[in-house]
Amino acid sequence: MDFRLSDEQIEFQQMVRKFARNEIAPLAAIIDEEERFPFESFKKMADLGLLGICVPEEYGGVGQSILTFCVVLEEIAYACAATAMSYTVSSALCGHNLATNASEEQKRRYLPELASGRKIFSIAMTEPGAGSDVLSMQTFAERKGDEYVINGSKTFITNAPVAEVFLVYVRTDRAAGPRGLSLLIVEKGAPGFTIGQPFKKMGMHGSPTSEIFFGDCRVPVENLVKGENQALGILLGGLDFERTAGSPLGIGAGRCALDMCVAYVKERKQFGQPLMMFEMILEKLANMSMEIEAARLLAHKAAWMCDQGIRCSAEASHAKLFATEMGMRVASEAVQIFGGYGYMREYGIERMFRDAKVGGIIAGTSEVQRLIIAREIIKRSMS
Ligand SMILES: Cc1cc2nc3c(=O)[nH]c(=O)nc-3n(C[C@H](O)[C@H](O)[C@H](O)COP(=O)(O)OP(=O)(O)OC[C@H]3O[C@@H](n4cnc5c(N)ncnc54)[C@H](O)[C@@H]3O)c2cc1C
């Protein structure tokens, strides 16, 4: 067993750390305040090859491992959680999905656009009536000649207000339950496709979210991924990766909050002493540090398993659940350590607290992760 990153991964980490601190971090408060997408950061990330990190080289990407993606995402999340969230959805979730499931023609058409940053991508599963129970989705696509005609809507779609390509899960067989789902690529501008106004959210202001609507929306049959009624396999096949890929968000943001706290407790004096002289403050720092380290170990183990092609349903959920709940605990303790200043916008800590909350909701809520873990350990105990 070897816990060290490879020389290449360390090189990537150093390069992204420097870039993220110089180029992404200075925009974090601005995009939060202005509630706008960081197009300028995405352009620079494309130039460095970061947008195509999950895309094979023959389609314009840099084809890195899932572990390397986790290392990169942690650095971006350290600088700005909202940028990291939009990046994860477009580059990792959509990039990995298309690289794994799309036809040769679809890969040649869409992956270079994603990797170059010419187009931002979204992935749409959730509906107003189908959240945790996502397989009960009702948005329906009917084949008519050379086209699919889609009717229905999706909600809470990350990047939708700025995206040009959408991977949309739809129902194509009303009677077949979870086996009646298909995946379609829908481009902005398709007839009958409309994008809602950005939602006003608690946090992640720089990562826009909206509804999308399909009213007799027509897309060519060539936009079907894999085959009709094949989306359950696509969904299930991508879950380990998706949960693992979400974990570094909490880890990077937590590490940033801890570093800010360490600097603050050396400076801030009360009762004639810096805060670092108080044992209850030191206990908080120790717990934050331990939890961040534990979350990273879980995430890297799950990433390593994904890279080896080992099914890791429980391990990926351990990583996602622990990292996102840790992110919330660390952000909350950081506000506490900063006291009243932590509650004020100026210091950036309250933004981290608002941003952290979404981790336990997206890509399977914390309750759903606990269900998956418990069911998996019972299943393993019987095999
Ligand atoms: C900012 C943001 C971005 C998002 N981005 C995307 C995106 O890009 N694409 C996309 O498709 N979706 C996206 N989502 C949607 C997200 O995946 C859903 O919000 C999530 O799956 C939960 O669904 P829901 O909100 O309908 O909650 P519900 O499913 O209604 O759950 C409500 C509560 O009940 C609990 N619950 C539900 N079922 C059970 C159960 N069986 N046992 C115990 N507790 C249960 C839940 O854990 C939760 O606490 C996003 C959401 C947000 C907030």
PDB file of all heavy atoms in Angstrom, residues 85 89 123-128 130-133 155-158 201 209 358 361-368 371, ligand 1:
ATOM      1  N   MET A  85     -18.411  23.485  -8.286  1.00  0.00           N
ATOM      2  CA  MET A  85     -19.655  22.733  -8.525  1.00  0.00           C
ATOM      3  C   MET A  85     -20.019  22.738 -10.016  1.00  0.00           C
ATOM      4  O   MET A  85     -20.318  21.689 -10.602  1.00  0.00           O
ATOM      5  CB  MET A  85     -20.793  23.338  -7.709  1.00  0.00           C
ATOM      6  CG  MET A  85     -22.113  22.657  -7.930  1.00  0.00           C
ATOM      7  SD  MET A  85     -23.118  22.761  -6.480  1.00  0.00           S
ATOM      8  CE  MET A  85     -24.748  22.650  -7.198  1.00  0.00           C
ATOM      9  N   VAL A  89     -20.032  19.391 -12.667  1.00  0.00           N
ATOM     10  CA  VAL A  89     -21.172  18.967 -13.481  1.00  0.00           C
ATOM     11  C   VAL A  89     -20.787  18.898 -14.958  1.00  0.00           C
ATOM     12  O   VAL A  89     -21.001  17.878 -15.622  1.00  0.00           O
ATOM     13  CB  VAL A  89     -22.382  19.912 -13.268  1.00  0.00           C
ATOM     14  CG1 VAL A  89     -23.464  19.659 -14.315  1.00  0.00           C
ATOM     15  CG2 VAL A  89     -22.946  19.720 -11.861  1.00  0.00           C
ATOM     16  N   ILE A 123     -26.548  18.261 -16.802  1.00  0.00           N
ATOM     17  CA  ILE A 123     -27.153  16.930 -16.781  1.00  0.00           C
ATOM     18  C   ILE A 123     -28.464  17.024 -16.010  1.00  0.00           C
ATOM     19  O   ILE A 123     -28.512  17.601 -14.912  1.00  0.00           O
ATOM     20  CB  ILE A 123     -26.183  15.879 -16.198  1.00  0.00           C
ATOM     21  CG1 ILE A 123     -26.727  14.469 -16.344  1.00  0.00           C
ATOM     22  CG2 ILE A 123     -25.814  16.156 -14.751  1.00  0.00           C
ATOM     23  CD1 ILE A 123     -25.651  13.385 -16.271  1.00  0.00           C
ATOM     24  N   ALA A 124     -29.550  16.507 -16.600  1.00  0.00           N
ATOM     25  CA  ALA A 124     -30.887  16.746 -16.041  1.00  0.00           C
ATOM     26  C   ALA A 124     -31.617  15.441 -15.738  1.00  0.00           C
ATOM     27  O   ALA A 124     -31.976  14.703 -16.657  1.00  0.00           O
ATOM     28  CB  ALA A 124     -31.693  17.592 -17.030  1.00  0.00           C
ATOM     29  N   MET A 125     -31.793  15.204 -14.445  1.00  0.00           N
ATOM     30  CA  MET A 125     -32.560  14.035 -13.996  1.00  0.00           C
ATOM     31  C   MET A 125     -33.764  14.466 -13.181  1.00  0.00           C
ATOM     32  O   MET A 125     -34.878  14.018 -13.402  1.00  0.00           O
ATOM     33  CB  MET A 125     -31.661  13.133 -13.131  1.00  0.00           C
ATOM     34  CG  MET A 125     -30.643  12.370 -13.924  1.00  0.00           C
ATOM     35  SD  MET A 125     -29.535  11.462 -12.863  1.00  0.00           S
ATOM     36  CE  MET A 125     -28.341  12.703 -12.516  1.00  0.00           C
ATOM     37  N   THR A 126     -33.515  15.343 -12.191  1.00  0.00           N
ATOM     38  CA  THR A 126     -34.536  15.705 -11.202  1.00  0.00           C
ATOM     39  C   THR A 126     -35.744  16.390 -11.850  1.00  0.00           C
ATOM     40  O   THR A 126     -35.588  17.227 -12.744  1.00  0.00           O
ATOM     41  CB  THR A 126     -33.914  16.651 -10.155  1.00  0.00           C
ATOM     42  OG1 THR A 126     -32.741  16.040  -9.634  1.00  0.00           O
ATOM     43  CG2 THR A 126     -34.888  16.941  -9.022  1.00  0.00           C
ATOM     44  N   GLU A 127     -36.931  16.028 -11.363  1.00  0.00           N
ATOM     45  CA  GLU A 127     -38.167  16.688 -11.800  1.00  0.00           C
ATOM     46  C   GLU A 127     -38.895  17.212 -10.554  1.00  0.00           C
ATOM     47  O   GLU A 127     -38.597  16.763  -9.439  1.00  0.00           O
ATOM     48  CB  GLU A 127     -39.059  15.685 -12.544  1.00  0.00           C
ATOM     49  CG  GLU A 127     -38.399  15.179 -13.821  1.00  0.00           C
ATOM     50  CD  GLU A 127     -39.260  14.173 -14.590  1.00  0.00           C
ATOM     51  OE1 GLU A 127     -40.370  13.822 -14.124  1.00  0.00           O
ATOM     52  OE2 GLU A 127     -38.796  13.752 -15.668  1.00  0.00           O
ATOM     53  N   PRO A 128     -39.871  18.106 -10.754  1.00  0.00           N
ATOM     54  CA  PRO A 128     -40.588  18.621  -9.574  1.00  0.00           C
ATOM     55  C   PRO A 128     -41.146  17.481  -8.704  1.00  0.00           C
ATOM     56  O   PRO A 128     -41.129  17.566  -7.481  1.00  0.00           O
ATOM     57  CB  PRO A 128     -41.704  19.471 -10.184  1.00  0.00           C
ATOM     58  CG  PRO A 128     -41.149  19.902 -11.505  1.00  0.00           C
ATOM     59  CD  PRO A 128     -40.283  18.782 -11.997  1.00  0.00           C
ATOM     60  N   ALA A 130     -40.052  14.189  -8.880  1.00  0.00           N
ATOM     61  CA  ALA A 130     -39.116  13.051  -8.809  1.00  0.00           C
ATOM     62  C   ALA A 130     -37.725  13.550  -8.416  1.00  0.00           C
ATOM     63  O   ALA A 130     -36.934  13.960  -9.266  1.00  0.00           O
ATOM     64  CB  ALA A 130     -39.060  12.316 -10.156  1.00  0.00           C
ATOM     65  N   GLY A 131     -37.456  13.542  -7.083  1.00  0.00           N
ATOM     66  CA  GLY A 131     -36.146  13.972  -6.573  1.00  0.00           C
ATOM     67  C   GLY A 131     -35.346  12.753  -6.166  1.00  0.00           C
ATOM     68  O   GLY A 131     -34.711  12.101  -6.996  1.00  0.00           O
ATOM     69  N   SER A 132     -35.420  12.394  -4.875  1.00  0.00           N
ATOM     70  CA  SER A 132     -34.715  11.185  -4.418  1.00  0.00           C
ATOM     71  C   SER A 132     -35.225   9.965  -5.186  1.00  0.00           C
ATOM     72  O   SER A 132     -34.457   9.064  -5.526  1.00  0.00           O
ATOM     73  CB  SER A 132     -34.927  10.979  -2.918  1.00  0.00           C
ATOM     74  OG  SER A 132     -34.426  12.084  -2.207  1.00  0.00           O
ATOM     75  N   ASP A 133     -36.506   9.945  -5.447  1.00  0.00           N
ATOM     76  CA  ASP A 133     -37.115   8.839  -6.211  1.00  0.00           C
ATOM     77  C   ASP A 133     -37.011   9.150  -7.706  1.00  0.00           C
ATOM     78  O   ASP A 133     -38.015   9.208  -8.424  1.00  0.00           O
ATOM     79  CB  ASP A 133     -38.577   8.698  -5.772  1.00  0.00           C
ATOM     80  CG  ASP A 133     -39.267   7.512  -6.432  1.00  0.00           C
ATOM     81  OD1 ASP A 133     -38.560   6.642  -6.988  1.00  0.00           O
ATOM     82  OD2 ASP A 133     -40.512   7.483  -6.404  1.00  0.00           O
ATOM     83  N   THR A 155     -36.088  20.109 -12.958  1.00  0.00           N
ATOM     84  CA  THR A 155     -35.830  21.249 -12.072  1.00  0.00           C
ATOM     85  C   THR A 155     -34.487  21.118 -11.367  1.00  0.00           C
ATOM     86  O   THR A 155     -33.902  20.039 -11.336  1.00  0.00           O
ATOM     87  CB  THR A 155     -36.985  21.423 -11.056  1.00  0.00           C
ATOM     88  OG1 THR A 155     -36.847  22.704 -10.426  1.00  0.00           O
ATOM     89  CG2 THR A 155     -37.004  20.334  -9.972  1.00  0.00           C
ATOM     90  N   PHE A 156     -34.039  22.247 -10.816  1.00  0.00           N
ATOM     91  CA  PHE A 156     -32.762  22.343 -10.069  1.00  0.00           C
ATOM     92  C   PHE A 156     -31.572  21.956 -10.947  1.00  0.00           C
ATOM     93  O   PHE A 156     -30.665  21.253 -10.481  1.00  0.00           O
ATOM     94  CB  PHE A 156     -32.774  21.425  -8.833  1.00  0.00           C
ATOM     95  CG  PHE A 156     -33.886  21.661  -7.848  1.00  0.00           C
ATOM     96  CD1 PHE A 156     -34.457  20.593  -7.161  1.00  0.00           C
ATOM     97  CD2 PHE A 156     -34.340  22.936  -7.569  1.00  0.00           C
ATOM     98  CE1 PHE A 156     -35.468  20.790  -6.228  1.00  0.00           C
ATOM     99  CE2 PHE A 156     -35.352  23.143  -6.639  1.00  0.00           C
ATOM    100  CZ  PHE A 156     -35.924  22.067  -5.968  1.00  0.00           C
ATOM    101  N   ILE A 157     -31.545  22.356 -12.194  1.00  0.00           N
ATOM    102  CA  ILE A 157     -30.486  21.893 -13.094  1.00  0.00           C
ATOM    103  C   ILE A 157     -29.285  22.853 -13.074  1.00  0.00           C
ATOM    104  O   ILE A 157     -29.371  24.000 -13.531  1.00  0.00           O
ATOM    105  CB  ILE A 157     -31.037  21.701 -14.536  1.00  0.00           C
ATOM    106  CG1 ILE A 157     -32.253  20.748 -14.506  1.00  0.00           C
ATOM    107  CG2 ILE A 157     -29.946  21.156 -15.469  1.00  0.00           C
ATOM    108  CD1 ILE A 157     -32.031  19.423 -13.773  1.00  0.00           C
ATOM    109  N   THR A 158     -28.179  22.335 -12.546  1.00  0.00           N
ATOM    110  CA  THR A 158     -26.936  23.124 -12.449  1.00  0.00           C
ATOM    111  C   THR A 158     -26.450  23.497 -13.846  1.00  0.00           C
ATOM    112  O   THR A 158     -26.463  22.658 -14.759  1.00  0.00           O
ATOM    113  CB  THR A 158     -25.856  22.296 -11.719  1.00  0.00           C
ATOM    114  OG1 THR A 158     -26.316  22.038 -10.396  1.00  0.00           O
ATOM    115  CG2 THR A 158     -24.521  23.029 -11.657  1.00  0.00           C
ATOM    116  N   LYS A 201     -30.847  31.309  -4.710  1.00  0.00           N
ATOM    117  CA  LYS A 201     -30.490  30.203  -3.819  1.00  0.00           C
ATOM    118  C   LYS A 201     -29.823  30.682  -2.527  1.00  0.00           C
ATOM    119  O   LYS A 201     -29.325  31.794  -2.449  1.00  0.00           O
ATOM    120  CB  LYS A 201     -29.504  29.259  -4.530  1.00  0.00           C
ATOM    121  CG  LYS A 201     -29.978  28.726  -5.876  1.00  0.00           C
ATOM    122  CD  LYS A 201     -29.192  27.491  -6.293  1.00  0.00           C
ATOM    123  CE  LYS A 201     -27.724  27.754  -6.578  1.00  0.00           C
ATOM    124  NZ  LYS A 201     -27.485  28.492  -7.825  1.00  0.00           N
ATOM    125  N   THR A 209     -28.585  27.809 -11.413  1.00  0.00           N
ATOM    126  CA  THR A 209     -29.486  26.648 -11.406  1.00  0.00           C
ATOM    127  C   THR A 209     -30.845  27.098 -11.918  1.00  0.00           C
ATOM    128  O   THR A 209     -31.313  28.163 -11.525  1.00  0.00           O
ATOM    129  CB  THR A 209     -29.694  26.155  -9.943  1.00  0.00           C
ATOM    130  OG1 THR A 209     -28.460  26.231  -9.250  1.00  0.00           O
ATOM    131  CG2 THR A 209     -30.254  24.757  -9.875  1.00  0.00           C
ATOM    132  N   VAL A 358     -25.406  22.596   0.480  1.00  0.00           N
ATOM    133  CA  VAL A 358     -25.973  21.873  -0.668  1.00  0.00           C
ATOM    134  C   VAL A 358     -25.366  20.469  -0.840  1.00  0.00           C
ATOM    135  O   VAL A 358     -25.975  19.583  -1.439  1.00  0.00           O
ATOM    136  CB  VAL A 358     -25.822  22.703  -1.969  1.00  0.00           C
ATOM    137  CG1 VAL A 358     -24.437  22.539  -2.582  1.00  0.00           C
ATOM    138  CG2 VAL A 358     -26.897  22.323  -2.969  1.00  0.00           C
ATOM    139  N   ILE A 361     -27.488  17.565  -0.198  1.00  0.00           N
ATOM    140  CA  ILE A 361     -28.757  17.498  -0.959  1.00  0.00           C
ATOM    141  C   ILE A 361     -28.531  16.961  -2.375  1.00  0.00           C
ATOM    142  O   ILE A 361     -29.300  16.131  -2.856  1.00  0.00           O
ATOM    143  CB  ILE A 361     -29.407  18.915  -1.026  1.00  0.00           C
ATOM    144  CG1 ILE A 361     -29.753  19.387   0.394  1.00  0.00           C
ATOM    145  CG2 ILE A 361     -30.655  18.901  -1.914  1.00  0.00           C
ATOM    146  CD1 ILE A 361     -30.202  20.838   0.480  1.00  0.00           C
ATOM    147  N   ILE A 362     -27.449  17.438  -3.025  1.00  0.00           N
ATOM    148  CA  ILE A 362     -27.251  17.050  -4.429  1.00  0.00           C
ATOM    149  C   ILE A 362     -26.675  15.631  -4.559  1.00  0.00           C
ATOM    150  O   ILE A 362     -26.069  15.120  -3.625  1.00  0.00           O
ATOM    151  CB  ILE A 362     -26.316  18.040  -5.180  1.00  0.00           C
ATOM    152  CG1 ILE A 362     -25.047  18.292  -4.359  1.00  0.00           C
ATOM    153  CG2 ILE A 362     -27.031  19.317  -5.505  1.00  0.00           C
ATOM    154  CD1 ILE A 362     -23.985  19.052  -5.105  1.00  0.00           C
ATOM    155  N   ALA A 363     -26.861  15.078  -5.764  1.00  0.00           N
ATOM    156  CA  ALA A 363     -26.298  13.755  -6.120  1.00  0.00           C
ATOM    157  C   ALA A 363     -26.639  12.694  -5.084  1.00  0.00           C
ATOM    158  O   ALA A 363     -25.807  11.865  -4.723  1.00  0.00           O
ATOM    159  CB  ALA A 363     -24.785  13.859  -6.326  1.00  0.00           C
ATOM    160  N   GLY A 364     -27.870  12.710  -4.616  1.00  0.00           N
ATOM    161  CA  GLY A 364     -28.311  11.762  -3.582  1.00  0.00           C
ATOM    162  C   GLY A 364     -28.126  12.392  -2.214  1.00  0.00           C
ATOM    163  O   GLY A 364     -26.998  12.680  -1.808  1.00  0.00           O
ATOM    164  N   THR A 365     -29.234  12.628  -1.511  1.00  0.00           N
ATOM    165  CA  THR A 365     -29.161  13.305  -0.200  1.00  0.00           C
ATOM    166  C   THR A 365     -28.399  12.434   0.810  1.00  0.00           C
ATOM    167  O   THR A 365     -28.159  11.244   0.571  1.00  0.00           O
ATOM    168  CB  THR A 365     -30.575  13.552   0.356  1.00  0.00           C
ATOM    169  OG1 THR A 365     -31.190  12.275   0.573  1.00  0.00           O
ATOM    170  CG2 THR A 365     -31.438  14.374  -0.590  1.00  0.00           C
ATOM    171  N   SER A 366     -28.083  13.018   1.950  1.00  0.00           N
ATOM    172  CA  SER A 366     -27.384  12.261   3.005  1.00  0.00           C
ATOM    173  C   SER A 366     -28.216  11.063   3.450  1.00  0.00           C
ATOM    174  O   SER A 366     -27.676   9.985   3.720  1.00  0.00           O
ATOM    175  CB  SER A 366     -27.110  13.170   4.203  1.00  0.00           C
ATOM    176  OG  SER A 366     -26.212  14.175   3.822  1.00  0.00           O
ATOM    177  N   GLU A 367     -29.540  11.250   3.507  1.00  0.00           N
ATOM    178  CA  GLU A 367     -30.405  10.131   3.916  1.00  0.00           C
ATOM    179  C   GLU A 367     -30.307   8.998   2.896  1.00  0.00           C
ATOM    180  O   GLU A 367     -30.224   7.820   3.255  1.00  0.00           O
ATOM    181  CB  GLU A 367     -31.865  10.599   4.053  1.00  0.00           C
ATOM    182  CG  GLU A 367     -32.142  11.504   5.243  1.00  0.00           C
ATOM    183  CD  GLU A 367     -31.679  12.948   5.026  1.00  0.00           C
ATOM    184  OE1 GLU A 367     -31.318  13.309   3.892  1.00  0.00           O
ATOM    185  OE2 GLU A 367     -31.674  13.709   6.013  1.00  0.00           O
ATOM    186  N   VAL A 368     -30.312   9.368   1.625  1.00  0.00           N
ATOM    187  CA  VAL A 368     -30.218   8.347   0.567  1.00  0.00           C
ATOM    188  C   VAL A 368     -28.856   7.639   0.631  1.00  0.00           C
ATOM    189  O   VAL A 368     -28.775   6.415   0.465  1.00  0.00           O
ATOM    190  CB  VAL A 368     -30.483   8.981  -0.823  1.00  0.00           C
ATOM    191  CG1 VAL A 368     -30.105   8.031  -1.953  1.00  0.00           C
ATOM    192  CG2 VAL A 368     -31.948   9.392  -0.940  1.00  0.00           C
ATOM    193  N   LEU A 371     -29.009   5.076   3.288  1.00  0.00           N
ATOM    194  CA  LEU A 371     -29.782   3.895   2.835  1.00  0.00           C
ATOM    195  C   LEU A 371     -28.910   2.989   1.976  1.00  0.00           C
ATOM    196  O   LEU A 371     -28.908   1.764   2.141  1.00  0.00           O
ATOM    197  CB  LEU A 371     -30.987   4.336   1.993  1.00  0.00           C
ATOM    198  CG  LEU A 371     -32.215   4.879   2.713  1.00  0.00           C
ATOM    199  CD1 LEU A 371     -33.250   5.317   1.675  1.00  0.00           C
ATOM    200  CD2 LEU A 371     -32.797   3.809   3.622  1.00  0.00           C
TER     201      LEU A 371
HETATM  202  C1  LIG B   1     -28.213  23.643  -6.000  1.00  0.00           C
HETATM  203  C2  LIG B   1     -28.748  22.350  -6.556  1.00  0.00           C
HETATM  204  C3  LIG B   1     -28.227  21.861  -7.738  1.00  0.00           C
HETATM  205  C4  LIG B   1     -28.738  20.684  -8.299  1.00  0.00           C
HETATM  206  N1  LIG B   1     -28.259  20.255  -9.509  1.00  0.00           N
HETATM  207  C5  LIG B   1     -28.871  19.216 -10.149  1.00  0.00           C
HETATM  208  C6  LIG B   1     -28.508  18.856 -11.483  1.00  0.00           C
HETATM  209  O1  LIG B   1     -27.575  19.423 -12.080  1.00  0.00           O
HETATM  210  N2  LIG B   1     -29.191  17.852 -12.096  1.00  0.00           N
HETATM  211  C7  LIG B   1     -30.213  17.183 -11.476  1.00  0.00           C
HETATM  212  O2  LIG B   1     -30.801  16.293 -12.088  1.00  0.00           O
HETATM  213  N3  LIG B   1     -30.576  17.506 -10.196  1.00  0.00           N
HETATM  214  C8  LIG B   1     -29.941  18.499  -9.517  1.00  0.00           C
HETATM  215  N4  LIG B   1     -30.318  18.858  -8.249  1.00  0.00           N
HETATM  216  C9  LIG B   1     -31.409  18.142  -7.615  1.00  0.00           C
HETATM  217  C10 LIG B   1     -30.981  17.237  -6.461  1.00  0.00           C
HETATM  218  O3  LIG B   1     -30.307  16.113  -6.952  1.00  0.00           O
HETATM  219  C11 LIG B   1     -32.264  16.905  -5.653  1.00  0.00           C
HETATM  220  O4  LIG B   1     -32.617  18.098  -4.981  1.00  0.00           O
HETATM  221  C12 LIG B   1     -32.044  15.772  -4.700  1.00  0.00           C
HETATM  222  O5  LIG B   1     -31.936  14.555  -5.396  1.00  0.00           O
HETATM  223  C13 LIG B   1     -33.204  15.640  -3.680  1.00  0.00           C
HETATM  224  O6  LIG B   1     -34.449  15.661  -4.306  1.00  0.00           O
HETATM  225  P1  LIG B   1     -35.592  16.656  -3.767  1.00  0.00           P
HETATM  226  O7  LIG B   1     -34.993  18.000  -3.664  1.00  0.00           O
HETATM  227  O8  LIG B   1     -36.779  16.479  -4.604  1.00  0.00           O
HETATM  228  O9  LIG B   1     -35.881  16.165  -2.272  1.00  0.00           O
HETATM  229  P2  LIG B   1     -36.835  14.937  -1.839  1.00  0.00           P
HETATM  230  O10 LIG B   1     -36.483  13.728  -2.587  1.00  0.00           O
HETATM  231  O11 LIG B   1     -38.244  15.396  -1.860  1.00  0.00           O
HETATM  232  O12 LIG B   1     -36.376  14.730  -0.329  1.00  0.00           O
HETATM  233  C14 LIG B   1     -36.819  15.550   0.753  1.00  0.00           C
HETATM  234  C15 LIG B   1     -36.244  14.975   2.042  1.00  0.00           C
HETATM  235  O13 LIG B   1     -36.753  13.626   2.242  1.00  0.00           O
HETATM  236  C16 LIG B   1     -35.659  12.736   2.385  1.00  0.00           C
HETATM  237  N5  LIG B   1     -35.992  11.437   1.793  1.00  0.00           N
HETATM  238  C17 LIG B   1     -36.448  11.176   0.540  1.00  0.00           C
HETATM  239  N6  LIG B   1     -36.614   9.860   0.371  1.00  0.00           N
HETATM  240  C18 LIG B   1     -36.232   9.271   1.536  1.00  0.00           C
HETATM  241  C19 LIG B   1     -36.144   7.914   2.001  1.00  0.00           C
HETATM  242  N7  LIG B   1     -36.476   6.884   1.201  1.00  0.00           N
HETATM  243  N8  LIG B   1     -35.721   7.672   3.256  1.00  0.00           N
HETATM  244  C20 LIG B   1     -35.366   8.700   4.060  1.00  0.00           C
HETATM  245  N9  LIG B   1     -35.416  10.009   3.696  1.00  0.00           N
HETATM  246  C21 LIG B   1     -35.845  10.278   2.439  1.00  0.00           C
HETATM  247  C22 LIG B   1     -34.517  13.398   1.633  1.00  0.00           C
HETATM  248  O14 LIG B   1     -33.253  12.894   2.049  1.00  0.00           O
HETATM  249  C23 LIG B   1     -34.722  14.865   2.012  1.00  0.00           C
HETATM  250  O15 LIG B   1     -34.188  15.105   3.279  1.00  0.00           O
HETATM  251  C24 LIG B   1     -29.773  19.984  -7.637  1.00  0.00           C
HETATM  252  C25 LIG B   1     -30.271  20.474  -6.425  1.00  0.00           C
HETATM  253  C26 LIG B   1     -29.768  21.645  -5.885  1.00  0.00           C
HETATM  254  C27 LIG B   1     -30.333  22.143  -4.583  1.00  0.00           C
END
